[in-house]
Amino acid sequence: MATRDNAGLDAWRAMLLAYNASMRAIDADLTRAGNVPLTWYDVLLELSAAPGGRLQMQELADRVVLSRTRVSRLADDMAKAGLIYKIRDRDDRRVVWATLTDSGRREFRLTAPRYLRGIETYFSAHLTAAEKAVLTTALTKVNAAHAAARTVPGNEAP
Amino acid sequence: MATRDNAGLDAWRAMLLAYNASMRAIDADLTRAGNVPLTWYDVLLELSAAPGGRLQMQELADRVVLSRTRVSRLADDMAKAGLIYKIRDRDDRRVVWATLTDSGRREFRLTAPRYLRGIETYFSAHLTAAEKAVLTTALTKVNAAHAAARTVPGNEAP
DNA sequence: CAAGATTGAAAGCTCAATCTTG
DNA sequence: CAAGATTGAGCTTTCAATCTTG
């Protein structure tokens, strides 16, 4: 028994291990080099990509792989470090905008190459072009399914 | 600039998101159903697969994706819950064996189907057979590289 | 009351230091 | 002194409760 569809399990197991090993190696390199931690980098990245270099806390949390709560504290720390600043919206005073400062932009430009090199060294270097392509399309489908599930929850407790 | 080799970065990004979304969904299902947390399940799994249902703390930590420290505490909690027991080796009294109890085996058999169903639902279901195969071979290569790096560190500080 | 965001308490996880045995 | 394992301290992350505004 239990010999049915090992393919899915094998793929899952491989991803689990690859993700953890690569992530730890990349993060260790960044830390060793005195760069900002990966979580901070992720925030800088998303803000850099956003129009005006700013994003609502809500949106930021959705883009970064962290809980809303965590992003709130993270943003406070980064604001204290001068990489971003937080400001309330004029019209809807419930929303808060996290905005990149010049210092934040500088830090992002400084860290990005190291981060990209880490991905290359610890991950991409071991893959062929065809494999990269398949990984991207396949895992993007998985993500799409989860994103759809978030939009249509439908299974809360009453 | 920076338009070179987006393929590796895209694949990385897709894996990051897919891993997190799937993992959270699977874990949430397990928790909601009153099963043991994923970390406990992983320990049960590795012990089940090990000859005699037992493993040194060291070996266990290597197989599970957690630090040695964490596994030590985890094993204590699981022992307190009666799922495993810890016992010193007779010959080399430095090593400790974590051993599955009957209760632990039962819990594993109970949780396994749910876990496998979670992987299927939140991950495998979105992939073709060909994609699963490529994911497995590709990511296994990544893992092999990291395993090799661990065996031959060679880059410590003096 | 609902939505956006933050805070308090607690669990998860890791690093460095320590204990014990070979 | 080195290897196996644990412990203390501290950071990270989350859940539930709270505050504020629409």
Side-chain angles (χ1 to χ4, degrees), chain A residues 5-72:
Chain A
D5 188 27
N6 277 50
L9 184 57
D10 289 347
W12 172 256
R13 225 41 200 167
M15 182 173 76
L16 193 93
L17 296 171
Y19 171 83
N20 275 282
S22 305
M23 183 60 97
R24 281 167 198 259
I26 294 170
D27 203 7
D29 270 13
L30 250 53
T31 304
R32 197 177 312 145
N35 285 101
V36 295
L38 221 40
T39 46
W40 287 35
Y41 175 77
D42 257 6
V43 170
L44 294 179
L45 174 66
E46 295 301 342
L47 290 181
S48 294
R54 64 176 214 162
L55 236 31
Q56 291 190 12
M57 295 304 292
Q58 188 89 265
E59 302 170 324
L60 185 55
D62 286 346
R63 282 171 174 67
V64 174
V65 185
L66 283 171
S67 71
R68 238 155 260 187
T69 302
R70 182 59 191 139
V71 170
S72 184

Side-chain angles (χ1 to χ4, degrees), chain B residues 24 56-58 69 72-73 76 86 94-96:
Chain B
R24 282 167 198 258
Q56 291 190 11
M57 296 303 294
Q58 188 89 263
T69 302
S72 184
R73 300 193 211 269
D76 278 349
K86 299 168 77 171
R94 289 175 304 182
V95 337
V96 172

Side-chain angles (χ1 to χ4, degrees), chain B residues 46-60:
Chain B
E46 295 301 342
L47 290 180
S48 294
R54 62 175 216 164
L55 236 31
Q56 291 190 11
M57 296 303 294
Q58 188 89 263
E59 300 170 325
L60 185 55

Side-chain angles (χ1 to χ4, degrees), chain A residues 12 15-16 18-20 23 38-39 42 61-67 115 139 142-143 145-147 150, chain B residues 11-29 38 118 122-123:
Chain A
W12 172 256
M15 182 173 76
L16 193 93
Y19 171 83
N20 275 282
M23 183 60 97
L38 221 40
T39 46
D42 257 6
D62 286 346
R63 282 171 174 67
V64 174
V65 185
L66 283 171
S67 71
Y115 182 62
L139 297 177
V142 173
N143 292 327
H146 285 279
R150 268 192 296 279
Chain B
W12 172 257
R13 214 67 190 156
M15 181 172 78
L16 193 94
L17 296 172
Y19 172 85
N20 276 282
S22 307
M23 182 62 97
R24 282 167 198 258
I26 294 171
D27 204 5
D29 270 12
L38 221 42
Y122 298 114
F123 182 69

